[in-house]
């Protein structure tokens, strides 16, 4: 579904990513792991179009995304849930969800029932302002808003950060459900190792902007993966 080839990225004169090759398959969770500052979020921003790449190619479902704007990539099926969630604090939960309509044709501009089935708390709180929700509820809102866009690729950047354990469990169940449905590829960037390892089908580890391991879960042990993400 997604393939990056020889992706390089710079911030000013500093090179952050070096020749990144990555694949994410439909119906699978691809985990990108590594310590802070190795380039994980930069890679997600490159895929989503939030930061232009200096070289290489990014393809989704056979379409070259490399030079497309973030909006065009969203229309093409890329949904990005960044660190910090970026919900609109003064809009209601329902209005936040409706912002996902922007890249959909008019006939698809509705909140499907399954969104509220996956995140029942959002239905209860749909009139409440986004800024009044807890951190965990805001994370659920951010994921739900991304799913409104009917993505082919869902990128989740640190979805468990600062969230209470019961919400982490619920988010894990939603990711597992989406994987089983087989409609999209999922990229998960995560520091919570147990959460990532339990969901992953494939691992990529980064160190200093380079891929140090690319492997199917069936090919490696927990110890192998952990050795590549510890200092």
């Amino acid at each position: 579904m997604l393939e990056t080839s020889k992706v390089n990225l710079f911030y000013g004169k500093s090179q952050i990513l070096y020749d990144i090759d990555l694949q994410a398959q439909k119906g699978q969770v691809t985990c990108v792991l590594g310590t802070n500052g190795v380039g994980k979020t930069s890679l997600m921003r490159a895929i989503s179009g939030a930061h232009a790449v200096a070289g290489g190619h990014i393809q989704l479902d056979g379409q070259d995304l490399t030079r497309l704007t973030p909006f065009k990539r969203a229309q093409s099926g890329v949904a990005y849930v960044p660190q910090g969630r970026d919900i609109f604090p003064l809009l209601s939960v329902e209005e936040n969800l409706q912002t996902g309509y922007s890249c959909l044709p008019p006939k698809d501009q509705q909140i499907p029932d399954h969104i509220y089935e996956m995140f029942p708390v959002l239905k209860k709180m749909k009139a409440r302002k986004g800024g009044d929700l807890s951190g965990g509820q805001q994370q659920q809102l951010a994921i739900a808003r991304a799913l409104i866009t009917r993505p082919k690729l869902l990128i989740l950047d640190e979805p468990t950060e600062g969230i209470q354990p019961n919400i982490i469990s619920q988010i894990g169940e939603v990711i597992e459900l989406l994987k089983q449905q087989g409609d999209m590829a999922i990229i998960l960037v995560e520091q919570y190792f147990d959460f990532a390892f339990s969901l992953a089908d494939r691992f990529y580890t980064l160190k200093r902007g380079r891929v140090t391991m690319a492997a199917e879960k069936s090919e490696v042990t927990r110890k192998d993966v952990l050795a590549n993400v510890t200092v």
Side-chain angles (χ1 to χ4, degrees):
M1 180 62 74
L2 173 83
E3 183 173 8
T4 74
S5 176
K6 303 298 181 186
V7 166
N8 292 277
L9 183 145
F10 287 78
Y11 289 144
K13 295 183 179 180
S14 299
Q15 187 164 1
I16 306 300
L17 299 177
Y18 298 82
D19 294 332
I20 301 294
D21 294 338
L22 179 146
Q23 292 184 346
Q25 302 294 337
K26 186 164 64 173
Q28 292 188 353
V29 174
T30 300
C31 277
V32 178
L33 304 172
T35 55
N36 287 332
V38 299
K40 303 186 302 296
T41 291
S42 295
L43 177 56
M44 299 308 109
R45 287 173 58 81
I47 294 170
S48 69
H51 197 296
V53 298
H57 296 279
I58 300 169
Q59 288 192 328
L60 179 67
D61 200 18
Q63 180 183 4
D64 190 349
L65 305 182
T66 312
R67 303 303 172 200
L68 295 186
T69 64
F71 178 70
K72 289 294 185 181
R73 294 191 200 201
Q75 285 187 317
S76 299
V78 178
Y80 179 35
V81 182
Q83 280 183 292
R85 299 138 201 166
D86 286 355
I87 59 107
F88 296 97
L90 299 181
L91 297 184
S92 70
V93 166
E94 185 172 28
E95 289 167 339
N96 266 278
L97 292 173
Q98 289 170 343
T99 63
Y101 292 172
S102 61
C103 60
L104 293 175
K107 65 181 180 64
D108 294 331
Q109 293 182 2
Q110 56 185 314
I111 301 172
D113 291 340
H114 70 262
I115 295 294
Y116 287 134
E117 290 169 2
M118 284 190 286
F119 302 103
V121 69
L122 300 182
K123 187 172 185 178
K124 295 177 184 177
M125 297 184 170
K126 64 181 181 180
R128 189 173 298 186
K129 289 183 178 180
D132 293 337
L133 273 57
S134 70
Q137 291 164 349
Q138 288 183 4
Q139 185 65 68
Q140 291 179 83
L141 175 57
I143 296 172
R145 180 180 59 186
L147 294 175
I148 291 285
T149 68
R150 303 187 179 190
K152 297 176 181 178
L153 171 69
L154 176 65
I155 301 172
L156 302 171
D157 194 352
E158 304 282 6
T160 70
E161 185 177 36
I163 293 177
Q164 56 268 45
N166 65 313
I167 303 295
I168 291 175
S169 178
Q170 291 173 27
I171 290 173
E173 290 172 3
V174 167
I175 294 172
E176 189 65 47
L177 175 63
L178 294 172
K179 180 168 76 167
Q180 291 174 6
Q181 289 175 347
D183 297 328
M184 67 184 73
I186 301 169
I187 296 181
L188 174 64
V189 175
E190 187 53 64
Q191 293 280 2
Y192 181 9
F193 184 81
D194 289 342
F195 181 82
F197 193 82
S198 68
L199 290 167
D201 297 287
R202 184 171 179 82
F203 297 100
Y204 287 86
T205 63
L206 298 184
K207 185 175 183 180
R208 296 181 181 176
R210 303 178 189 270
V211 174
T212 56
M213 184 183 73
E216 300 288 339
K217 189 175 185 177
S218 59
E219 299 171 344
V220 292
T221 67
R222 174 190 170 90
K223 185 177 180 181
D224 293 332
V225 180
L226 197 56
N228 275 274
V229 296
T230 52
V231 178

